[in-house]
Amino acid sequence: MKRAKTIAIVAGFGFFFLALIIQAIVPYVMKQYKTVQYAVTKTVRTPLGLLTQVKTQAVPYTDVLAKGRTIFMHEGCWYCHSQFTRPVAGETRRWGPLPEVGEYAYDLPHLLSTRRIGPDILRVGGKYGDDWHAAHYFDPRMVVPDSVMPRFTWFFKKEGDHFVLNDDGKAIVAYVQNLGMSRGKWRDEFPYQIAAQGSAPAFTAKESVDHGKEVYLRRCVGCHGEKGDGKGTAPSLVQFAVALPRDFTSGQFKFRTTQTGALPTDADLYRTITAGIRGTAMPTWFNLSEDDRWDVIHYVKTFDPDFGAIPPEQPLYIPQAPKPDADLIAKGKLTYEDLKCWECHGQEGRGDGEKSDTLKDDFDNKILPANFTTGVFKGGPRPEDIYRTVMTGLNGTPMPSNFDAVTQQNIDPWALAYYILSFSADKQ
Amino acid sequence: MATTFPFLKIIRFLNIYILNGKAKLMQSENNLVNNKIVKQWLMWGFFWGIVAPTMGILLSLKFNYPDFLSNEYFHFGRLRPVHTNGVIFGVFSTIFLGLVNYMVPKLTGVKMYKDEWSKYTMWLWNLSLFAGFAGVLLGYNKGLEVDEFPNPVGLGFIISLVLISYQVFMSIAQRKEEKIYVALWYTIAALIWTDLNLVFGNFVLPYIMPGVSNAALHGLFLHYVVGLWITPGGLAIIYYFLSAASKTPIYSHRLSLVGFWSLAFVYPFVGIHHYLFAPTPYWTQTIAIVTSMLLIVPVWAVVANFYGTLMGGKWGLAQSDFTVKLLIFGAAMYFIGSTQGSLEALRSVQVPTHFTDFVIAHSHSTVFGGYVVFTLAACYYVWPRVAGTGYSRTVAQWSSWMIMLGISTMIAVLILQGLIQGTELVAGAEFVDSVVTMKPYWMIRTFTGITMDIGVALVGLNLYYSKTARTTP
């Protein structure tokens, strides 16, 4: 070849720009990709307390989120955590719904990433609570002993005996918790993390308990502690702002289908482990095999001898939820008045009732009544979950059982359940 | 004083004799090449050849000892770009740019145009590397997967490279050899592509077209760095030095034409294959897959050309000549790694292997096993000629085998890891469980890394500290 210019112009400039135009510029300006660019399918709650999907738009990052995203980028978090799930390899089951173009509308530069040394985090928002993230940033091995993630201790400052997130730490937790949130309440209808009832294996073999212990030591010990007393290393080092880990030796379990004060059934524990306790440090464990989940329950029960001594109770029967209408919601509002829910939870469900400042749980810790408007329901977001909490109360907390009131005063607990859900209705 | 005078005279005489002799030798061979500049570029390459792989070892240790160096400035996310860019812009690029200063005068028959500039471009390039590394370690990562350096550090690379490009083009314009050898085609293309690409990556890509379109741009940029800088640069090296070291003309001119033009046309399109199954337009992904598979054409063409060159009874040189030895090995790695890369772009292959160490195996077998090994091979040829010194054959033998065994074992382990973790996840394993499975393999990988990194360091140290006179013809 004799002509250097041919090489320079055709190969050097020509092919470079040809590829750039075909592979990036053309798709960007094509009309069909423009029109879908900002559409996001969002799961919202209607004023009737039901979930539905609407087409909406992603919102720009607020200052805190933008700061968190910058930290995420600067620290190189994205080298190991991708931000797109694929329609293959069971990823929609593992992490959540597929991404849409519109969800990335404000990502500049994008952070899709090409490697997963850690899990994909496109849908991580809401999977863990802020307390879990704090503990995890402080030392990932506290909560995930097999993790290979670095510690991010410079996101913390010391206050008293505990480490709390500083401004950078708060920003990055806010950013991570916001991931996938343009899809709204998708997690409330994510089928894999809902365990409606489930039935435990009737026979508990020693092997099962032993395996449960292995699971416990790899997944639970950081918060609940080796003795199951809720005094793991995580809550002893990092400030848990929302709720402390359960003390399994206390015999107090919040989310049950059994009567107030009674121990939960295995199925209750299974449901809590599967779905997690939203807003708190307790994550969802639906990715664990069913055997792992059942066996760890058998192990957790060994912390409290009462589990073996007291025969299990007949659980509450939760019937099929009715379809709500405006009348049912109105009826629920009256029930909310009658049962004096507003004394703690407030007239508008914000958890700011007149008694709300004075409440303490059985461990003498200050406790806040649930704020229904956030849409974060610890016991679960389904009407059946609210029904259960209304009927059986939350052990160890001031939340009473309304079982007697319901049966004696002919109250419809479904009306109350849907009314409570309707507090978290999204503005259209 | 008087008694010592004759003694000094003898010393001076001998000195002059030796120096002149050496100078004469170099003069006769390299009267076009600016030896000092080439030497300095290569020295920087040796330096980065110790630094960048060491970072890789530190990083790989973090897989098994995550608390090791887990502080604000040296945790995985900040150290990783030092390793990747250290290899790409440090080891490979500094040696390649040194070799450009050697090859271009040889191939054009004229001195490098304004070769005094090279002093400045060399310092600018290396200082930019230092500044960039300081930038990412202090936490100013730009969010690209290569060239993460904060702006305006990128400007240093761009100015440096544009000046070098200008020198090369002017030299070619003034050339005395009418025909342009294939190594020069690749050099011309690599320089133009990368001038454009660095401007694009540093000053355009981070600021336009948000969202998945930005991912498309980034995929292209990312693959332009490996495909339109390292690949043509590396191929220029092997085309020149395989011929030069074996004293054989290249096997087929036609094959080199096929290889060059198919690479030039196809390679720019492949970048989107980093984001298959992402919500980018499906057809752009398909184009990326088709072109990735088409890359088999240039890869196999050039590898056939290399091995064809050795067919005329030159294979024996692999035993006596370290340049040929490493080039043969590097070409094999290039062949394996690039073919794996093409297959990796297939959707069905990506289902289990994407996001795993399978891809990391590909990047190590090509960038290290192929191109960095090419540059090291060329150093065995060029350094004795520009420095006038020889090197220890024993050390060279050890280092070659450490490099070859190290990288071969590493890519075997990484491919295995990727397939294991990928299939495990497809089968529905919990994610952390799949990470636990990887840990013993990561340990092996650390040892393979240490092995090959010692090998690389020995190449530089062996050449740089050699006191013996050059013996190779």
Side-chain angles (χ1 to χ4, degrees):
Chain A
M1 220 179 324
K2 288 174 188 170
R3 303 217 20 181
K5 276 184 193 153
T6 318
I7 297 169
I9 292 167
V10 178
F13 290 95
F15 294 155
F16 181 93
F17 284 110
L18 183 69
L20 197 62
I21 289 165
I22 292 179
Q23 287 295 75
I25 313 287
V26 169
Y28 181 70
V29 297
M30 276 174 79
K31 207 179 163 201
Q32 64 254 48
Y33 295 106
K34 270 254 145 79
T35 50
V36 296
Q37 186 147 18
Y38 298 108
V40 180
T41 313
K42 188 176 183 184
T43 303
V44 295
R45 204 172 278 284
T46 66
L48 292 181
L50 290 173
L51 291 171
T52 185
Q53 291 188 336
V54 295
K55 289 280 179 197
T56 176
Q57 291 181 340
V59 286
Y61 293 109
T62 61
D63 288 350
V64 174
L65 294 177
K67 182 181 175 189
R69 190 170 194 276
T70 306
I71 295 169
F72 186 88
M73 186 171 86
H74 282 174
E75 298 294 353
C77 307
W78 47 277
Y79 289 121
C80 308
H81 294 286
S82 61
Q83 282 190 31
F84 72 103
T85 56
R86 306 177 297 166
V88 291
E91 289 178 11
T92 47
R93 182 193 167 114
R94 184 185 298 279
W95 287 306
L98 288 176
E100 293 174 312
V101 183
E103 288 184 69
Y104 301 100
Y106 296 97
D107 286 6
L108 187 69
H110 83 99
L111 294 170
L112 292 194
S113 177
T114 57
R115 176 81 172 94
R116 285 177 189 156
I117 296 173
D120 186 276
I121 54 165
L122 174 73
R123 300 281 175 235
V124 81
K127 181 174 183 179
Y128 307 93
D130 289 0
D131 290 346
W132 186 92
H133 279 296
H136 188 247
Y137 279 122
F138 188 77
D139 184 356
R141 262 119 355 251
M142 283 197 311
V143 281
V144 186
D146 298 310
S147 167
V148 297
M149 185 169 130
R151 289 174 298 183
F152 289 87
T153 41
W154 56 97
F155 289 163
F156 291 84
K157 58 188 174 192
K158 192 145 193 186
E159 272 182 18
D161 296 342
H162 290 90
F163 289 93
V164 293
L165 289 164
N166 60 20
D167 287 348
D168 282 359
K170 281 178 189 150
I172 188 142
V173 168
Y175 171 68
V176 170
Q177 290 288 43
N178 185 56
L179 285 167
M181 283 298 113
S182 54
R183 297 294 288 265
K185 298 183 168 72
W186 69 270
R187 203 172 270 284
D188 289 359
E189 57 176 5
F190 187 51
Y192 304 108
Q193 73 172 55
I194 295 170
Q197 287 295 329
S199 52
F203 175 69
T204 310
K206 185 180 173 299
E207 288 74 18
S208 172
V209 178
D210 289 348
H211 176 232
K213 184 174 182 181
E214 284 173 31
V215 176
Y216 185 88
L217 291 177
R218 283 189 57 210
R219 320 275 183 183
C220 321
V221 72
C223 293
H224 294 288
E226 272 181 53
K227 294 176 189 151
D229 54 4
K231 294 194 173 68
T233 43
S236 68
L237 281 170
V238 178
Q239 182 76 52
F240 273 38
V242 180
L244 287 168
R246 181 78 352 202
D247 174 0
F248 296 134
T249 62
S250 70
Q252 301 280 23
F253 290 86
K254 283 182 181 169
F255 309 110
R256 311 161 335 278
T257 50
T258 54
Q259 284 178 21
T260 303
L263 291 171
T265 66
D266 289 0
D268 287 336
L269 295 173
Y270 185 78
R271 185 188 54 246
T272 303
I273 287 173
T274 303
I277 303 173
R278 193 84 59 81
T280 74
M282 174 74 179
T284 65
W285 292 107
F286 65 92
N287 283 134
L288 286 189
S289 73
E290 291 196 15
D291 281 349
D292 282 3
R293 283 179 262 168
W294 284 120
D295 289 349
V296 82
I297 288 168
H298 297 318
Y299 180 67
V300 163
K301 282 162 68 180
T302 62
F303 289 124
D304 186 350
D306 283 356
F307 271 111
I310 302 169
E313 280 193 44
Q314 184 66 29
L316 174 78
Y317 171 68
I318 303 179
Q320 183 83 32
K323 272 227 159 5
D325 51 31
D327 291 346
L328 193 72
I329 302 291
K331 216 162 106 188
K333 189 169 171 23
L334 291 175
T335 312
Y336 192 79
E337 297 284 335
D338 289 351
L339 293 178
K340 293 200 165 58
C341 304
W342 50 268
E343 276 188 345
C344 301
H345 294 288
Q347 286 291 359
E348 276 146 9
R350 293 184 199 280
D352 56 357
E354 54 198 44
K355 281 192 185 173
S356 62
D357 289 342
T358 59
L359 300 175
K360 284 195 170 171
D361 68 7
D362 289 8
F363 306 95
D364 214 28
N365 296 317
K366 192 169 159 34
I367 187 168
L368 286 173
N371 178 349
F372 301 134
T373 59
T374 58
V376 174
F377 297 99
K378 286 185 185 150
R382 299 172 308 144
E384 292 87 346
D385 295 320
I386 313 288
Y387 181 101
R388 188 187 63 244
T389 304
V390 167
M391 296 292 272
T392 64
L394 299 175
N395 278 2
T397 77
M399 172 72 193
S401 157
N402 294 291
F403 188 81
D404 295 340
V406 168
T407 46
Q408 287 160 19
Q409 298 171 27
N410 196 23
I411 283 170
D412 184 0
W414 289 116
L416 187 57
Y418 277 111
Y419 180 65
I420 287 168
L421 284 173
S422 73
F423 281 122
S424 63
D426 292 75
K427 291 185 193 75
Q428 295 297 320
Chain B
M1 285 298 266
T3 48
T4 52
F5 180 65
F7 181 62
L8 278 176
K9 206 171 173 184
I10 294 166
I11 297 274
R12 193 174 298 155
F13 172 75
L14 282 173
N15 236 342
I16 290 164
Y17 174 79
I18 292 166
L19 284 177
N20 274 352
K22 229 187 226 177
K24 230 174 211 168
L25 183 75
M26 292 192 287
Q27 200 75 40
S28 62
E29 281 219 5
N30 295 336
N31 51 356
L32 299 172
V33 177
N34 185 335
N35 291 334
K36 205 176 149 215
I37 289 296
V38 176
K39 249 179 85 177
Q40 282 177 335
W41 274 109
L42 296 193
M43 268 155 55
W44 277 111
F46 299 155
F47 170 74
W48 295 118
I50 294 171
V51 173
T54 307
M55 297 302 149
I57 295 172
L58 298 182
L59 286 166
S60 80
L61 280 169
K62 287 165 181 282
F63 289 122
N64 282 91
Y65 307 99
D67 289 337
F68 168 69
L69 268 184
S70 180
N71 57 36
E72 186 165 358
Y73 302 106
F74 297 102
H75 68 78
F76 191 92
R78 291 200 188 176
L79 205 54
R80 185 187 185 273
V82 181
H83 170 61
T84 52
N85 291 293
V87 171
I88 294 171
F89 295 110
V91 189
F92 176 82
S93 300
T94 49
I95 297 182
F96 172 64
L97 291 172
L99 298 175
V100 165
N101 276 288
Y102 183 87
M103 287 190 290
V104 170
K106 290 275 184 180
L107 290 170
T108 54
V110 293
K111 278 190 149 185
M112 191 78 155
Y113 177 80
K114 302 267 187 205
D115 67 354
E116 67 273 15
W117 287 2
S118 301
K119 195 165 56 186
Y120 305 109
T121 53
M122 178 194 66
W123 280 108
L124 185 58
W125 184 273
N126 286 293
L127 289 178
S128 302
L129 275 171
F130 279 110
F133 292 151
V136 289
L137 289 179
L138 291 171
Y140 296 98
N141 189 316
K142 199 156 69 221
L144 309 178
E145 223 159 297
V146 64
D147 192 8
E148 291 92 335
F149 309 136
N151 280 333
V153 170
L155 206 57
F157 294 107
I158 293 166
I159 293 171
S160 184
L161 203 63
V162 167
L163 287 177
I164 293 167
S165 310
Y166 185 67
Q167 285 177 291
V168 170
F169 302 148
M170 290 308 284
S171 307
I172 290 171
Q174 299 169 351
R175 70 185 182 276
K176 289 185 181 143
E177 297 278 334
E178 194 196 0
K179 282 208 167 165
I180 301 178
Y181 181 59
V182 52
L184 269 188
W185 313 345
Y186 281 108
T187 309
I188 295 169
L191 288 170
I192 292 184
W193 282 328
T194 306
D195 289 336
L196 293 172
N197 194 34
L198 288 183
V199 174
F200 166 63
N202 280 292
F203 300 106
V204 182
L205 160 62
Y207 307 106
I208 61 161
M209 290 161 60
V212 288
S213 301
N214 199 256
L217 287 180
H218 177 253
L220 293 169
F221 165 74
L222 182 63
H223 227 88
Y224 287 174
V225 173
V226 285
L228 303 184
W229 173 240
I230 303 181
T231 301
L235 295 183
I237 293 170
I238 185 167
Y239 266 116
Y240 181 90
F241 290 99
L242 191 66
S243 253
S246 65
K247 300 190 177 56
T248 317
I250 206 73
Y251 173 66
S252 161
H253 180 71
R254 195 163 295 172
L255 265 185
S256 40
L257 270 172
V258 170
F260 176 78
W261 284 106
S262 54
L263 178 111
F265 178 65
V266 167
Y267 221 133
F269 286 87
V270 304
I272 314 286
H273 68 204
H274 291 271
Y275 301 108
L276 293 192
F277 298 112
T280 48
Y282 198 74
W283 59 266
T284 60
Q285 300 180 16
T286 306
I287 290 178
I289 295 167
V290 172
T291 47
S292 301
M293 286 306 281
L294 278 172
L295 272 184
I296 288 178
V297 174
V299 171
W300 291 23
V302 296
V303 172
N305 217 354
F306 298 147
Y307 288 156
T309 307
L310 297 169
M311 281 303 186
K314 296 286 183 177
W315 287 101
L317 281 174
Q319 291 183 8
S320 57
D321 188 309
F322 288 101
T323 307
V324 177
K325 184 202 282 280
L326 286 178
L327 286 179
I328 289 174
F329 176 78
M333 273 285 151
Y334 169 68
F335 174 76
I336 296 167
S338 301
T339 309
Q340 186 204 345
S342 291
L343 297 173
E344 214 170 72
L346 296 171
R347 287 195 178 93
S348 54
V349 178
Q350 282 220 352
V351 169
T353 61
H354 194 52
F355 296 118
T356 68
D357 276 324
F358 192 81
V359 183
I360 311 303
H362 162 68
S363 46
H364 281 86
S365 58
T366 50
V367 175
F368 182 85
Y371 306 117
V372 170
V373 167
F374 292 164
T375 61
L376 297 176
C379 287
Y380 277 120
Y381 181 91
V382 171
W383 184 269
R385 282 170 173 76
V386 296
T389 52
Y391 52 84
S392 156
R393 290 188 61 84
T394 317
V395 176
Q397 197 72 270
W398 273 94
S399 86
S400 303
W401 281 102
M402 286 177 99
I403 290 170
M404 296 195 282
L405 286 176
I407 183 67
S408 307
T409 320
M410 177 185 277
I411 66 160
V413 171
L414 287 172
I415 285 177
L416 201 60
Q417 280 186 275
L419 293 174
I420 292 172
Q421 191 179 23
T423 44
E424 213 175 322
L425 288 173
V426 169
E430 200 267 339
F431 192 88
V432 178
D433 287 348
S434 80
V435 173
V436 173
T437 319
M438 292 297 101
K439 287 186 178 178
Y441 299 95
W442 275 331
M443 202 68 215
I444 303 173
R445 181 222 188 149
T446 303
F447 285 113
T448 61
I450 291 172
T451 311
M452 68 195 219
D453 295 351
I454 292 175
V456 178
L458 284 179
V459 174
L461 297 173
N462 189 15
L463 290 170
Y464 183 74
Y465 285 108
S466 174
K467 296 277 190 289
T468 56
R470 182 184 148 206
T471 49
T472 40

